[in-house]
Amino acid sequence: MSATVLPARALLLDMDGTLVNSDAVVERCWRRWAVAQGIDPDEALKVVHGRQGYATMAVLLPDRPMEQNYADNRVMLAEETADTDGVVPIGGAAEFMAAIDGLPHALVTSADAALAQARMGAAELRMPSVRVTAESVGASKPDPEGFLKGAAELGFDPADCIVFEDSEAGIAAGRAAGMRVVGVGPRAEALGPDAHVGDLTQVRVETVEDGSIRLHITTL
């Protein structure tokens, strides 16, 4: 067992796979869509995590008109928002959210506002007051726009922020934003984040007298 201490002024939090385990819903919805498109569902699931739906569709069907991707994405979002069966918090998420209450932090998710509210509610997690959802950005992760907007809304430089992410697209977005990244869960382990945890029980939050944050990361 080893420990790493990461200093920060603000935290930027992905939702799916980071705070909320929604894999069951994601798999159900995306497998249906992939089969309807004649795509191997297992191949689709390799690229779905972290991106907005239309961006995933563009990767899987590069010659398809983007207007059709946007239309399918609207249907997908409605299906995912209505289906919360199996949505649960990531280990330690409730305690982590309680520990950062009152500290500068924002949710930065590829979900739209309705889906974010549904999943955070299903997992019984507090919704951050500052949030950057799909409607807030013009580009999906791995573009850094969402994280840069989150930092700007909190009033901090990117270098002072730490991102919590689980996916390849999300970790790439955090790096492109010039931020350090804590990878959460099995998808993140092989992606070379600055620190990696299996879940949020391995993170202890310390508030420093000057208002800054120290993250104590325990590696098993």
Side-chain angles (χ1 to χ4, degrees):
M1 182 181 296
S2 61
T4 301
V5 179
L6 297 177
R9 306 291 300 187
L11 307 177
L12 301 175
L13 316 172
D14 175 52
M15 181 181 70
D16 293 299
T18 302
L19 298 174
V20 172
N21 183 342
S22 56
D23 284 358
V25 180
V26 171
E27 290 204 10
R28 281 195 294 273
C29 292
W30 280 96
R31 282 185 181 278
R32 278 199 304 269
W33 180 87
V35 169
Q37 306 304 318
I39 297 171
D40 181 347
D42 291 330
E43 292 302 310
L45 290 173
K46 290 178 181 178
V47 299
V48 68
H49 296 287
R51 293 180 173 86
Q52 291 190 43
Y54 74 85
T56 295
M57 295 169 189
V59 170
L60 294 168
L61 297 171
D63 298 325
R64 190 188 204 212
M66 190 57 76
E67 291 77 10
Q68 186 61 52
N69 294 335
Y70 287 130
D72 277 13
N73 187 46
R74 288 191 290 272
V75 174
M76 179 71 72
L77 284 170
E79 291 178 352
E80 289 187 293
T81 302
D83 183 356
T84 57
D85 187 26
V87 174
V88 295
I90 293 292
E95 295 81 2
F96 176 78
M97 293 301 289
I100 66 172
D101 194 13
L103 299 176
H105 67 281
L107 189 74
V108 181
T109 176
S110 293
D112 66 3
L115 180 56
Q117 192 68 57
R119 286 188 175 162
M120 292 290 281
E124 298 184 343
L125 294 175
R126 174 182 60 80
M127 176 67 82
S129 58
V130 178
R131 45 194 179 265
V132 180
T133 57
E135 303 95 331
S136 310
V137 297
S140 171
K141 299 171 185 177
D143 191 282
E145 181 185 358
F147 286 124
L148 292 172
K149 281 198 168 186
E153 285 199 36
L154 293 172
F156 292 95
D157 291 335
D160 291 327
C161 299
I162 289 180
V163 165
F164 281 74
E165 264 286 0
D166 74 300
S167 70
E168 182 175 10
I171 289 173
R175 284 182 177 145
M179 301 174 185
R180 290 156 294 153
V181 180
V182 174
V184 180
R187 282 190 289 268
E189 187 170 10
L191 301 173
D194 295 277
H196 174 261
V197 295
D199 63 27
L200 295 171
T201 63
Q202 294 171 239
V203 182
R204 181 171 66 84
V205 180
E206 177 190 2
T207 306
V208 186
E209 287 184 4
D210 64 1
S212 65
I213 302 163
R214 284 191 190 131
L215 299 176
H216 296 260
I217 311 291
T218 302
T219 304
L220 303 178

